[in-house]
Amino acid sequence: MRLIVVWLSSFILVCAENIDENPKRYLLYDCNPGEGFNLRRDVYIRMSNLVKALRDDGKKDQNWVLVLPPWGRIRYHWDEEEMEESKIAWKSFFNVESLSYHVPVMEYEDYVEEIGEPKVDEIWYLQRFKEGWKDGKFEEKIHERECNDPAVYESDNEGKIRGWFWGYFETYATKFKCVSSQGTSKVLIRPLNGGNTTARSVFLDRGETVMHEMFGGKNYWDSRRSMVFAKHLRQEAAEIRKKYLDSDDERDNTYRPDDWRTPKIEPGTAKGGPYIAAHLRRKDFLYARKEKVPSIENTAKKLKELMKKYEVSKVFVASDGTKEEMSELKELVPEVVMYEGTKEREKRLKKGGVAIVDQIICSYARYFIGTSESTFSFRIQEEREIMGFDRDTTFNRLCGDEEGDDCQQPSRWKIAWESDREIWER
């Protein structure tokens, strides 16, 4: 609050003016349109921890809020046609309140309502350094410079900068610049916190350019744990588990609360439902990583072995395989259960929601086996680590036909419940 003294001819008027001493600043972002749903979830972790670092930068006036980019334009994974899978709010897939326990977040439409118009002050188009690493040495740096490629934004007759903006074509920006960035999110802290801009809102395009400051550290896992799925998707998965897989949380000892700020969960705490789960990535992996993708016949053989080993009579399969491939698998393994993306389900939950239900059901299995280098499998493994499954039943992947049964298994990323400083102080 600030006192304002007004001198009048006969008396002095003293009044109080409310001044927001800590005004909000907004960070918006987007990804390369070719990036899939599960990679974008990883970019969210990078951006949320950038906001956390901006807020913890020691300056009282840096009240940054992360604006959640509406989901959409994921053409390969969602087979989008005519925008029906665009402009999707985060609440359709995630518990937004849970996200806010890590850093302040808001939906894009709430941002527009709060600032009063559909605009952003500045676009920072992130790009690589054209010259690459100097002398072959990696260093963290950032520099505003000419664009490496033709700009994907243009000015209209009024000088407003137009572009994609998640399908909201009325949205515009007032300033645009290309920024070469190399390194982790920390290279952006000084420029954003007053070094290069005092803009109230900054939009970082190509957010995937920014690397994790500490992949696998406490902030990474805090952000990841905050990504609790929306309640209606968890309920959908629970109904499928109960109806087709004889699985429920009480008997399976599986616990994923809305408030992720719970005491540490030890590995081996969760038992899982009486079924094994597998993620079979097909499509582009059949030629991009063909040596790591097993045939349907060998997949069936492996699933039967695992069912026998874990003494279960059901196997849940999540896959982007063709109908013919899945029919072949079911003929070889009649016990296979799948959650099919029917038109009714896709209309009700969106294609992203259908994929999430697949992931949830896989996460709650007695044993999970995934596909090498698939972010879909990575996210399932993280969910299981969060819920406290034994790591031997979590970090597994199918071997390609030429690899044999002894192929290299996934790295085991363990939750960091405490920071190095907290451990040291304790």
Side-chain angles (χ1 to χ4, degrees), residues 271-283:
K271 178 183 178 182
Y275 63 97
I276 64 169
H279 170 229
L280 279 59
R281 180 69 182 271
R282 308 291 291 173
K283 285 191 176 180

Side-chain angles (χ1 to χ4, degrees), residues 40 44 59 113 196 207 234 285 297:
R40 290 172 188 245
Y44 166 80
K59 297 183 178 181
E113 182 177 356
N196 291 64
R234 288 180 285 144
F285 271 43
E297 183 179 354

Side-chain angles (χ1 to χ4, degrees), residues 23-29 51 54 61-67 106 108 111-112 114-124 161 165-166 171-177 191-193 196-205:
K24 284 184 181 179
R25 298 183 70 188
Y26 304 92
L27 186 74
L28 303 92
Y29 75 96
V51 167
L54 289 168
D61 60 340
Q62 303 303 333
N63 186 14
W64 286 94
V65 177
L66 181 61
V67 180
M106 64 179 357
Y108 174 71
Y111 159 79
V112 172
E114 186 161 298
I115 68 169
E117 57 182 320
K119 78 160 190 173
V120 294
D121 294 333
E122 294 184 1
I123 298 172
W124 291 19
I161 300 169
F165 296 115
W166 317 287
T171 300
Y172 68 94
T174 56
K175 185 178 179 180
F176 170 88
K177 60 184 177 181
L192 286 171
N193 267 355
N196 291 64
T197 182
T198 57
R200 189 181 181 195
S201 59
V202 177
F203 174 89
L204 301 179
D205 201 351

Side-chain angles (χ1 to χ4, degrees), residues 30-40 43 72-78 80 125 164 205-206 208 281 284 375:
D30 201 3
C31 299
N32 185 318
E35 304 296 350
F37 181 67
N38 289 289
L39 187 279
R40 290 172 188 245
V43 175
R73 200 163 64 158
I74 305 180
R75 297 190 182 99
Y76 178 79
H77 294 87
W78 292 358
E80 178 187 342
Y125 190 87
W164 165 246
D205 201 351
R206 297 301 187 270
E208 73 280 356
R281 180 69 182 271
D284 58 325
T375 53

Side-chain angles (χ1 to χ4, degrees), residues 99-317:
L99 299 176
S100 69
Y101 294 156
H102 183 55
V103 295
V105 300
M106 64 179 357
E107 299 276 17
Y108 174 71
E109 291 189 350
D110 294 330
Y111 159 79
V112 172
E113 182 177 356
E114 186 161 298
I115 68 169
E117 57 182 320
K119 78 160 190 173
V120 294
D121 294 333
E122 294 184 1
I123 298 172
W124 291 19
Y125 190 87
L126 301 180
Q127 60 183 11
R128 304 295 182 185
F129 277 88
K130 197 170 186 177
E131 65 273 22
W133 298 0
K134 185 177 180 181
D135 300 325
K137 296 181 180 179
F138 178 81
E139 62 175 327
E140 295 200 326
K141 56 183 179 178
I142 189 168
H143 186 229
E144 180 183 342
R145 53 170 59 186
E146 293 183 357
C147 299
N148 295 341
D149 302 306
V152 295
Y153 297 89
E154 58 183 19
S155 297
D156 63 14
N157 294 332
E158 298 178 342
K160 296 178 179 179
I161 300 169
R162 303 288 184 175
W164 165 246
F165 296 115
W166 317 287
Y168 291 86
F169 297 110
E170 68 277 14
T171 300
Y172 68 94
T174 56
K175 185 178 179 180
F176 170 88
K177 60 184 177 181
C178 282
V179 178
S180 289
S181 174
Q182 181 172 286
T184 66
S185 57
K186 68 182 180 182
V187 301
L188 288 161
I189 296 174
R190 181 173 293 179
L192 286 171
N193 267 355
N196 291 64
T197 182
T198 57
R200 189 181 181 195
S201 59
V202 177
F203 174 89
L204 301 179
D205 201 351
R206 297 301 187 270
E208 73 280 356
T209 304
V210 178
M211 297 167 60
H212 290 285
E213 183 176 356
M214 183 64 72
F215 181 80
K218 185 177 185 299
N219 283 340
Y220 172 91
W221 278 106
D222 282 355
S223 179
R224 178 62 183 83
R225 288 163 61 208
S226 76
M227 300 184 78
V228 176
F229 292 125
K231 185 176 181 179
H232 67 280
L233 297 179
R234 288 180 285 144
Q235 289 177 336
E236 178 86 2
E239 290 173 5
I240 299 299
R241 288 167 51 209
K242 184 176 182 179
K243 185 175 182 179
Y244 298 104
L245 298 167
D246 195 29
S247 169
D248 63 68
D249 288 343
E250 185 175 354
R251 286 181 294 168
D252 302 346
N253 200 25
T254 45
Y255 182 57
R256 187 72 163 94
D258 285 331
D259 190 345
W260 53 272
R261 300 167 297 177
T262 55
K264 178 179 179 180
I265 302 175
E266 295 291 343
T269 301
K271 178 183 178 182
Y275 63 97
I276 64 169
H279 170 229
L280 279 59
R281 180 69 182 271
R282 308 291 291 173
K283 285 191 176 180
D284 58 325
F285 271 43
L286 290 175
Y287 58 85
R289 296 175 177 81
K290 59 182 179 180
E291 72 283 355
K292 296 182 179 180
V293 179
S295 63
I296 296 297
E297 183 179 354
N298 279 341
T299 298
K301 179 181 177 182
K302 183 63 176 180
L303 295 180
K304 288 179 179 179
E305 290 176 359
L306 292 171
M307 290 171 64
K308 183 177 181 180
K309 178 178 179 179
Y310 287 92
E311 299 180 342
V312 297
S313 59
K314 296 288 184 180
V315 54
F316 180 80
V317 173

